[in-house]
Amino acid sequence: ISQQLCSLTFGAEEFLLFGTDEQGKKFLEPIFTGDAVMGFAITEPDAGSDTLAASTTAVKEGNEWVLNGSKVMIGNGTRGTFMLIFALTDPDAARSKRHSIIIVETDREGYKADPMHGKMGLRASDTAAIYLNNVRVPEENLLGTRGNGFHQLMAFFDRSRAYVSAHGVGLAQGALNMAVKHVRERKQFGKPIGSFQGVQFKIADMAVKIELARNIMYKAAWLLDNGKADTNVTAMAKMYAARIAVEVVDEALQLHGGYGYFDDYDIERFYRAAKVLEIYEGAKEIEKMIIGRTIVGR
């Protein structure tokens, strides 16, 4: 189920925004029936936050695209039936017009994916390194417009970052719920620790932070639902909700005391899972840069 949710969340938007009816029928519909899994391969060893530095190439040869390069930290890399590849197609064009997005079926000759192990959190999610060695796909596997890949990617981030903000709110709320349950049951000095004012102050601060994060997440989602995608609001929602998730989970673990440090308690897993929210789909520094530039001007 988690793999299907990742498919629907991270990548399907590209089809809805830029795909043709034929591409939607061929690639998108099977996801909803559970017959396909997809991923979006953007990050490279030397191209993370700087997506325009991506060097994986897609060269047009006759009626085919030939792809070469590698990607890292790609969701569904070993499980996907097809991937969206952010690739360099026009190296001599302006920097923001050099890349395109190509659909690559993972059973194509030359496609290889190795699982990446040792993640601190999100261990149930497939993360892989992808290698493309003269992978050939038909020209109709171009998604959207040639040379418009970066702008399509930014439109995708305007949506995916809103989803990540929801992830942050949910993680923080779950951590708060665990903390409340624990402080009601855990007794020290002859009474539940939840009866102490200092603990109640911590719970109050956590609840306020979550409610504020939830409201800006709702605003970002409302704008998207009404066709008014706002890059700045989405960046704010993602940055703030991710930060609140990290802060709330940290405080919730603290309230569990030593027990929270052991994997008998779910809060240990939440602690490991929270940090990535400030990294993927745009590191918090990138969100700050977007917000600052929007307000001050470039």
Side-chain angles (χ1 to χ4, degrees):
I1 294 174
S2 64
Q3 298 298 335
Q4 295 303 317
L5 290 175
C6 285
S7 292
L8 294 174
T9 301
F10 298 116
E13 285 283 2
E14 282 289 330
F15 282 95
L16 298 176
L17 292 169
F18 305 107
T20 64
D21 290 341
E22 292 77 13
Q23 289 173 334
K25 185 174 182 60
K26 180 179 180 180
F27 294 105
L28 194 57
E29 287 187 11
I31 293 177
F32 288 88
T33 60
D35 297 316
V37 175
M38 70 176 291
F40 201 165
I42 305 166
T43 303
E44 298 184 3
D46 295 315
S49 293
D50 184 9
T51 55
L52 288 175
S55 59
T56 291
T57 59
V59 178
K60 189 77 177 298
E61 290 186 5
N63 60 354
E64 292 182 316
W65 291 101
V66 183
L67 291 92
N68 285 279
S70 62
K71 302 286 185 178
V72 294
M73 295 178 282
I74 305 303
N76 291 339
T78 68
R79 297 179 180 273
T81 53
F82 69 92
M83 306 294 292
L84 305 184
I85 308 292
F86 185 72
L88 185 66
T89 54
D90 299 270
D92 297 325
R95 196 163 188 260
S96 64
K97 299 182 181 298
R98 299 187 306 161
H99 295 84
S100 304
I101 297 173
I102 312 292
I103 307 166
V104 174
E105 298 92 335
T106 58
D107 60 357
R108 296 271 179 182
E109 184 178 353
Y111 179 94
K112 179 184 177 184
D114 292 331
M116 296 179 69
H117 300 294
K119 285 188 299 182
M120 182 170 74
L122 300 186
R123 295 174 182 173
S125 173
D126 173 46
T127 303
I130 293 175
Y131 307 95
L132 303 163
N133 183 17
N134 291 322
V135 177
R136 292 179 174 271
V137 299
E139 60 183 350
E140 58 263 27
N141 277 28
L142 172 69
L143 182 62
T145 304
R146 177 172 178 170
N148 198 47
F150 175 71
H151 299 288
Q152 293 174 201
L153 179 61
M154 293 302 103
F156 162 73
F157 280 146
D158 281 344
R159 290 153 178 82
S160 67
R161 287 169 178 164
Y163 310 152
V164 175
S165 73
H167 185 173
V169 171
L171 192 71
Q173 184 65 60
L176 175 60
N177 293 347
M178 291 178 196
V180 170
K181 181 177 185 296
H182 183 76
V183 301
R184 284 174 173 170
E185 297 174 351
R186 174 67 169 163
K187 292 183 178 180
Q188 289 290 279
F189 308 104
K191 61 177 70 175
I193 61 174
S195 65
F196 298 119
Q197 188 180 64
V199 171
Q200 292 177 3
F201 282 1
K202 287 177 181 288
I203 295 295
D205 285 339
M206 294 159 71
V208 171
K209 289 177 179 179
I210 293 169
E211 193 61 24
L212 292 173
R214 179 178 287 111
N215 274 276
I216 194 169
M217 179 269 288
Y218 281 161
K219 181 175 182 179
W222 183 89
L223 289 169
L224 287 172
D225 284 346
N226 286 274
K228 302 176 182 179
D230 189 310
T231 299
N232 204 40
V233 171
T234 301
M236 288 179 176
K238 196 270 187 184
M239 185 193 80
Y240 186 71
R243 187 177 79 197
I244 292 311
V246 171
E247 292 179 0
V248 168
V249 172
D250 179 76
E251 197 69 89
L253 191 149
Q254 186 72 22
L255 289 171
H256 280 76
Y259 291 107
Y261 202 67
F262 288 85
D263 61 11
D264 301 72
Y265 287 74
D266 284 335
I267 194 63
E268 180 270 346
R269 174 171 55 84
F270 275 46
Y271 191 84
R272 290 185 288 102
K275 186 58 188 176
V276 74
L277 298 177
E278 293 191 309
I279 299 173
Y280 72 179
E281 298 302 301
K284 61 182 180 181
E285 291 80 7
I286 294 297
E287 313 304 341
K288 289 181 180 180
M289 185 171 67
I290 292 169
I291 297 164
R293 284 180 175 178
T294 302
I295 296 172
V296 177
R298 294 175 183 265

